[in-house]
Amino acid sequence: MACKVELRVYDRDRAFTDDFMGAAEIDLASLTPTSEEVNLHLADENLNEELGYINLHASVQQDSEPIREEMAIQAELLSSSPPKEPTPFVRNKNSKCIRGQRTIFPVAVATVQLVSGSNLPARDANGFSDPYVKFTMGKAKKKSKVGSYAGQVFRFSTMYFSNFCAISQKVVCYKTLNPVWKDEFIFQLFNNESSTLDVTVWDKDNYRKDDFIGRCELNLWDIEREVTHSLQLGLLDTPGNLLFLITIHDIEPRENSLTSYDLSNLRTRYNKTATFQDLPDVGFAELKVISATGLRAADINGKSDPFCVVQLCNARAQTQTCYKTLDPVWNRVFTFPIRDIHDVFDICIFDSDNVTDREFLGRVAIPILRGVNGVERTYALKDRKLKERTKGTVTIQISYIYNPIRAAIRTLSPREEKYMEEDLKFKKNLLLSNFQRVWRLMQSIIATAEFINSCFTWVNPRRSAVAFMAFLVIVWNFELYMLPISLLMLLMKTYVDVFVRNQPLAAVESGKYRLNDDDDVDEELSSNKPSLLQRLSALQEVLTKVQNILDFIASFGERVKNTFAWRVPFLSWLAVCVLCVVAVVLYYFPLRGIVLLWGINKFTKRLRKPNFVPNNEVMDFLSRVPSNVQIDDYREIPIEQGSPKNCKKKR
């Protein structure tokens, strides 16, 4: 049976729909294993005129051989008779045809995230440096403007059909030997020979030539695909290290799903009987990004070129780009190792633009434990700050398996640092919001104090009499082990109210923690004099510290409250188990012995484990409990609410 392949030729338009230029068919049965020249006439059923030719070299291979590498097809559209010797063409990033060069297609995209540097050598007389980094791959170079600051993020989009892609960028951090950049760079990979990334570190000088600090090289082609690698690279012939997060994504999607894994091996791997074989390996998660619908049009033609980025802590994955559509279908499956069961899937959708920066379309954050295991779900998209509804929905499926004992042990350990998390800036609305959160906690404490005082003043005789009798009984019979039992009883009371009596939890008001991005102090002070800016910058630093302290106090109180409110059942059950153990220990062992063992452990831990990270188990536990702000961020907006009518265009 003959098998035919249809070839269609289009004229690419940036702002409008691509124009159809003709089509042709090639019969695969007529091809041979040896490469041969084939001339195909273009035709259009609506036109009777001559449309030109396609001249190509084609061959057919067996299915067992990689078609992509074994079969080379070179084409040229002609407006007259076919040439004697076909001339291949290639499009550069300006969409021009360059004759005499071979067509080169990228096979992968590398996302290089420059996190920080450490122990860099000093190049200035003050004992510090003003370091910035240049990345070079290939021939092209591009540098940032002089005077850029640390933490500024640069993103680049380049054409898929170009003969090379290389980006060079520099960002300056002033007076430091341990700079923190948190920058992201995107490179296209074409072959092994042109995939070496050259990294150089320089010291910025205003009145003389910049001083060279060090360099290192990395072959991106050799890095495992679809996995995020944390690489600490040392500089050559000089002290100092650079920390990178590197992820290589294949342009063509790979078909895989959880069914392709040995589920029985996964169940055995995370079975409770194998808990202590590999404690850091908490679990395994698979996220399938299926599609999105009703996205915002980001291009002038009323369409978008959307792609989806998925992050789980420091791990990153990215789908292919679907061009000129508001309803993309990706059907990409990504797998992630679970190091902390309380991590959150951060799903962002962007519009890929070949001219300007990529454009934000929508976002949703889903904690692993909130995902419905193995069920396809559709989520309404939110804005960049996860506060308001934006246009569009995304359909995903989360599947995961984990060992609950390993997850509980990991909960009592320090949380993994999220390297690319943006630092909070001072905002007056955020400062006010944090103050209101602390004030609400203070109001609860004041109300409790007033209740106790009313018992002393016999405002309500019956209540005061009951409180007086309870006070005598408790004080007379009090033992230290009764304290965790009291907390345990409070936890179980809330559990019965929520899960047995089905009483709803007190709702966190949506939008209460909404912020306005337009109130940055930097923007408000842009027109002031430099001397005034310096003084106000110092004031801003103080206010930022006050803002963060208020956030810490408010979050601490909210996390304690949410633990007893069973906001995260896994954590509340863990608290129940810990309180039971503490009560038993306090009942059977004297307090003096417990304190002695605790002190010996703290004093000798550094001697027993020289590389241990100091931690507080209670604070590590509470760091996994979401605050009210995080609960509002993770809140799922009903799709029935519809999309907002007026969506601001954000980049």
Side-chain angles (χ1 to χ4, degrees), residues 572-586:
S572 297
W573 277 119
L574 179 59
V576 168
C577 297
V578 171
L579 290 174
C580 290
V581 172
V582 171
V584 171
V585 170
L586 291 175

Side-chain angles (χ1 to χ4, degrees), residues 14-17 295-306 322-327 351-352 359 361 649:
R14 296 287 184 186
F16 305 98
T17 305
L295 298 178
R296 176 173 59 85
D299 297 334
I300 194 173
N301 60 0
K303 300 292 184 179
S304 293
D305 304 324
C322 295
Y323 292 95
K324 296 188 178 182
T325 179
L326 301 180
D327 304 298
D351 168 62
S352 178
E359 190 169 342
L361 296 179
K649 195 172 183 180

Side-chain angles (χ1 to χ4, degrees), residues 5 7 23-27 38-43 52-56:
V5 175
L7 289 81
E25 288 186 348
I26 181 172
D27 189 357
V38 180
N39 296 321
L40 302 176
H41 291 265
L42 294 178
Y53 300 88
I54 287 183
N55 176 262
L56 56 86

Side-chain angles (χ1 to χ4, degrees), residues 595-639:
V595 174
L596 184 63
L597 291 176
W598 174 84
I600 293 174
N601 174 65
K602 287 294 184 180
F603 278 103
T604 61
K605 183 173 289 187
R606 176 69 70 180
L607 301 176
R608 292 182 283 112
K609 299 178 180 179
N611 297 324
F612 94 102
V613 178
N615 69 302
N616 184 304
E617 288 77 7
V618 176
M619 298 303 296
D620 292 334
F621 171 84
L622 290 177
S623 68
R624 269 70 172 198
V625 182
S627 63
N628 288 352
V629 175
Q630 292 173 317
I631 291 176
D632 188 37
D633 290 345
Y634 304 153
R635 174 177 54 92
E636 183 177 346
I637 300 178
I639 300 177

